[in-house]
Amino acid sequence: MKTRMVSTSLLAVAVITTATACSNSKQPEASTAATAVTSTAPAKLAPVTLKGMLFGDPPKDMQLVMDEFEKRTKDTLNTKLNIQWNPSADHKQKVKLMMTAGEEVDFVFDADFMNLKELVPQGAYAQLDKYFNNDAYPGLKKAFTPEFVEANKRFDGHLYTIPFTQYFYDLPVVYIRKDLREKYGLGKINSYEDLENFYKKVQESDKTLTPLAVKGNGGFQEIWTGESNTKIPNVGTVGIAGIPILVQLSDDGKKVQNMAALGDDAEAFAKLPSPYNTAKTAYPQYDKWAEWSRYLEKDVVSQKDSKAYFMSGKAATYYGTISSFAADRKKLKETISTADLEFFVLRKDIRDMKPQAISTNYRSNNSIAIPTTSKNIDRTMKYFDWLFSSQENHDLIEYGIPGKHWEAVGSNQIKLLDESKNYNFPGYEMSWNPNMIRLSSDLDDTSRKYFEYSAKADTYYSAPLAMFTFDSTNVKAEVASITSKTDPFIQLLKAGQIKDWEAQTAKLSGELKALGMDKVRAELQKQIQAYLDKGGR
C-alpha cells in the first residue's frame, strides 16, 4: 500500500477526497437554512451581542480593536462580541460544563484535543455545512475551499466547526536563548546531542535557571519523537483516550490485520513489523522523556504557562512551534534587553527539510464550534463571513489596528510595531486561514526557509489511517471512564515522570480492561474496517 501525496501551496489548500466512516447518529441542524438568507450585502441588521469562549489571556488592547470593529460594521453587521477568556488549563472543563448545563453561548474554541470528539456525537454543536460554498456567505466561500471543508468533516460526513490553520503543520521547535548559548561558548545547536550539552552547561553555570520549560499538561510533546522518521506503508496510529494504538493493515490496505496498544503484552507487539515489534522500539521517546526530566523544573506538572516562565528569564529554552517565532523574539527582547532567540527543529527529516517528512490528515487542529443552544447561529456565521471576506477585516482581528499595532510590508508581509505587545491575539483560536497568511518582515533567512518548506506540496504525505476519525457514540460511557483514568497518567508520562513506563502501562492496561477497553477496541476495529471497505486508506 502506497502513501498518498496531495498538492498544497502557501495560498491554496490541498485538493483531496476524504472517505469517512459511516454513522447512524443524527445531529441537530442549525436554526435557519443558509439558502434562505438573502445575502451579506451591506444592509444594517438588528443589533446583537455574540457571546464567545476562548482561552488564554485577553490582549490588553482587545477593547480598542473591538471598538474599531464596531465602528467599521455599525451600518452592516451591527454586532458586538462579548468574549469570555478562560485560563488555558480550565477551558476544556468549562466548555464541557457549559454544554452540559445548556447555557447559552454563541461560539466556543474546541478541538479534538479538547472536547470535540465527545461533544459532536452528543449533538452539542450545530452542523455548519450549509454556510460554506454558499454565495450568501462569500467570505467563507472564498477562504474555505470545498476540499478544506471536506477534509474537516466529522465521522458522519458533516462539518461542525470553522477550521483554522495556516499550514498543515506548525513545525515543533525548542526555542533557545541564543545569548546564553554564545555566552557559554557553544556553537549553533544542530542536534539533540548539542541541545543536551547546552542543558548541562546551563546546570553547571546557573543553578537557578531551568534548562527546559514545558507545560504541565503537554510535557515534552514532540521532543524526541520522529528523530528517525519511520514510514511503513501499512502501519498507522489511532489514539483513543490518549492511548496510542498501532494498527497494521494487509499489504493491499483493505483489511485490519493486527493491533497493539500501549500497555499490551510483548506478544501483541511481536506481530507487527520492525521497529514496532517491541514496545521499547515502538515508543523510544518515553525512555528519553524520563531521562531528560532532569532538565525540567521540579514541579513541572503544575506549570500552566511555560512561555511566560521562559520570558521572565527563569528558563533557558522552552517548547513551542515556529509560527510564533517573530512575535516571541520581539517579546523576549522587550522583556530582557540583552536576550535573543533562536530555535532547534525537533524532527530530523523536517530539520533537514526532506520531502514527504510530515504525515498529515489535511485537517485543522484548531477550530470554533457553535452550540446548538445558540439563538444566533446565522448571525455568528455572518460575523465569521465578514472576518474572512477581506484581508483588511482579517488583519484587524488577528493583528490589531494598522498603524498602531502593525504595518503592512508588501502584499503578504507584516512589521510589528512597538504597540503590538498590547495586542498579541491567538489567531489559531479564531482567525487563521491559509489564504490570509502574513510573514513577518523581521524573519531571518533560516526561519523564512522553514516557513517556505512547510508550504511546499511534497513536504507532506498521508499516512495510513490519517483520514480516519473514530466515532465514540456506541462506547461513550466506556470512553469517558477510560479517559478519566488515562488523562492523569498520560500527563505524567509526557512530563517524563514515569521511568518504568513499560510496567506502569501494562498495569494501566489491566485497569482499562475493567472499564471496557476491550469493547472500545472492538468498536475501533469495526469502524476501521468499515472505513477501509468504503475506500478509505
Side-chain angles (χ1 to χ4, degrees):
M1 180 174 139
K2 296 181 179 179
T3 54
R4 181 162 58 89
M5 289 299 300
V6 183
S7 288
T8 63
S9 71
L10 180 63
L11 299 177
V13 181
V15 177
I16 62 174
T17 300
T18 304
T20 54
C22 61
S23 170
N24 293 323
S25 62
K26 299 293 183 182
Q27 300 296 330
E29 294 283 347
S31 58
T32 306
T35 52
V37 178
T38 55
S39 171
T40 53
K44 189 171 183 178
L45 300 168
V48 68
T49 297
L50 302 178
K51 181 179 179 181
M53 289 184 70
L54 304 179
F55 66 87
D57 296 321
K60 182 178 178 181
D61 283 353
M62 188 72 193
Q63 190 56 52
L64 292 178
V65 174
M66 288 295 97
D67 291 344
E68 177 65 19
F69 160 70
E70 291 170 20
K71 183 174 75 172
R72 292 187 187 184
T73 60
K74 65 179 180 179
D75 294 327
T76 52
L77 287 182
N78 204 10
T79 295
K80 295 179 183 289
L81 300 183
N82 176 17
I83 299 177
Q84 175 182 327
W85 294 82
N86 297 322
S88 300
D90 300 338
H91 182 75
K92 178 178 179 180
Q93 186 63 20
K94 285 194 173 185
V95 169
K96 186 183 294 186
L97 291 173
M98 179 172 281
M99 295 300 102
T100 301
E103 185 176 341
E104 286 190 21
V105 62
D106 296 307
F107 61 90
V108 300
F109 177 91
D110 208 342
D112 282 346
F113 62 87
M114 289 204 169
N115 298 302
L116 207 58
K117 290 182 178 179
E118 177 182 350
L119 292 180
V120 167
Q122 291 178 7
Y125 294 140
Q127 290 180 4
L128 304 179
D129 313 57
K130 64 189 180 184
Y131 296 100
F132 294 84
N133 196 31
N134 186 330
D135 289 337
Y137 294 81
L140 296 176
K141 183 176 182 178
K142 179 181 177 181
F144 297 85
T145 67
E147 296 78 23
F148 191 26
V149 170
E150 186 68 25
N152 283 278
K153 288 182 177 180
R154 307 302 294 185
F155 55 86
D156 61 352
H158 289 288
L159 184 72
Y160 295 88
T161 62
I162 305 170
F164 305 128
T165 191
Q166 288 184 316
Y167 306 95
F168 287 116
Y169 191 64
D170 194 2
L171 307 187
V173 299
V174 165
Y175 281 112
I176 300 161
R177 281 279 299 273
K178 179 182 178 182
D179 55 300
L180 292 180
R181 174 182 63 75
E182 292 175 341
K183 175 183 175 181
Y184 299 150
L186 299 176
K188 188 167 176 60
I189 294 172
N190 295 311
S191 67
Y192 276 97
E193 183 180 3
D194 293 343
L195 186 60
E196 184 164 27
N197 287 336
F198 175 65
Y199 288 158
K200 290 176 179 177
K201 197 68 175 179
V202 169
Q203 290 181 325
E204 292 172 6
S205 305
D206 189 345
K207 302 295 183 184
T208 67
L209 194 62
T210 300
L212 171 62
V214 299
K215 283 186 179 181
N217 63 355
F220 286 100
Q221 300 202 69
E222 295 203 50
I223 296 175
W224 276 115
T225 66
E227 186 58 4
S228 56
N229 193 9
T230 303
K231 289 185 287 187
I232 297 179
N234 64 331
V235 177
T237 302
V238 178
I240 301 292
I243 298 294
I245 301 176
L246 292 165
V247 182
Q248 181 186 12
L249 307 180
S250 57
D251 289 342
D252 61 7
K254 294 182 178 181
K255 298 292 181 183
V256 177
Q257 275 194 334
N258 297 300
M259 294 172 58
L262 180 65
D264 279 0
D265 57 29
E267 183 179 350
F269 283 94
K271 296 176 182 178
L272 302 178
S274 176
Y276 303 119
N277 54 337
T278 73
K280 280 282 188 183
T281 53
Y283 308 110
Q285 67 270 28
Y286 297 156
D287 282 328
K288 284 294 184 181
W289 290 353
E291 179 185 338
W292 275 40
S293 63
R294 71 184 70 162
Y295 303 126
L296 307 180
E297 56 184 306
K298 290 183 179 179
D299 190 21
V300 63
V301 175
S302 300
Q303 179 56 258
K304 295 183 178 180
D305 194 340
S306 54
K307 182 184 291 190
Y309 185 75
F310 171 84
M311 291 294 176
S312 69
K314 296 178 181 178
T317 69
Y318 75 99
Y319 170 89
T321 53
I322 199 171
S323 61
S324 66
F325 175 59
D328 288 358
R329 188 182 188 195
K330 181 178 175 63
K331 184 175 182 179
L332 177 64
K333 287 183 173 183
E334 291 170 347
T335 306
I336 305 172
S337 60
T338 58
D340 199 1
L341 197 67
E342 61 186 7
F343 58 83
F344 168 69
V345 178
L346 294 176
R347 292 171 55 184
K348 180 172 172 48
D349 284 358
I350 300 175
R351 194 159 62 243
D352 296 339
M353 299 191 199
K354 291 185 178 181
Q356 299 185 44
I358 303 173
S359 171
T360 182
N361 56 15
Y362 300 95
R363 287 198 291 264
S364 169
N365 288 327
N366 307 289
S367 58
I368 285 288
I370 299 181
T372 53
T373 53
S374 170
K375 296 178 180 178
N376 302 303
I377 296 178
D378 286 343
R379 291 295 296 271
T380 301
M381 295 306 292
K382 281 184 177 293
Y383 161 73
F384 283 101
D385 181 65
W386 171 89
L387 174 63
F388 293 110
S389 65
S390 72
Q391 189 76 48
E392 181 183 14
N393 294 350
H394 167 270
D395 291 348
L396 174 66
I397 302 301
E398 184 152 321
Y399 303 118
I401 299 172
K404 178 178 178 64
H405 299 115
W406 65 281
E407 63 184 28
V409 178
S411 61
N412 66 348
Q413 294 186 55
I414 184 173
K415 179 181 180 181
L416 298 177
L417 304 178
D418 290 341
E419 290 296 309
S420 65
K421 63 181 180 291
N422 295 324
Y423 192 75
N424 187 17
F425 186 81
Y428 56 88
E429 293 191 50
M430 200 166 77
S431 59
W432 272 7
N433 187 269
N435 298 291
M436 295 182 170
I437 298 171
R438 284 190 183 273
L439 290 178
S440 171
S441 61
D442 295 331
L443 289 175
D444 57 22
D445 287 343
T446 299
S447 56
R448 189 177 300 279
K449 286 178 181 178
Y450 276 113
F451 278 109
E452 291 170 351
Y453 167 76
S454 65
K456 289 181 179 179
D458 67 354
T459 295
Y460 300 92
Y461 73 100
S462 182
L465 302 179
M467 300 292 187
F468 172 77
T469 301
F470 180 63
D471 173 12
S472 62
T473 302
N474 294 334
V475 286
K476 181 171 60 177
E478 288 82 2
V479 169
S481 297
I482 290 167
T483 301
S484 66
K485 190 76 173 178
T486 58
D487 273 357
F489 181 90
I490 296 299
Q491 181 179 8
L492 292 175
L493 180 66
K494 286 183 175 180
Q497 304 301 300
I498 301 178
K499 292 179 170 52
D500 57 339
W501 61 268
E502 280 191 287
Q504 292 300 314
T505 54
K507 178 183 177 184
L508 176 66
S509 180
E511 295 171 350
L512 297 185
K513 286 184 178 181
L515 298 175
M517 189 62 175
D518 286 344
K519 182 179 177 182
V520 173
R521 289 175 67 159
E523 178 68 18
L524 173 63
Q525 182 166 346
K526 175 184 174 183
Q527 289 187 28
I528 292 175
Q529 190 58 59
Y531 169 78
L532 298 175
D533 291 343
K534 287 180 174 289
R537 304 187 66 175

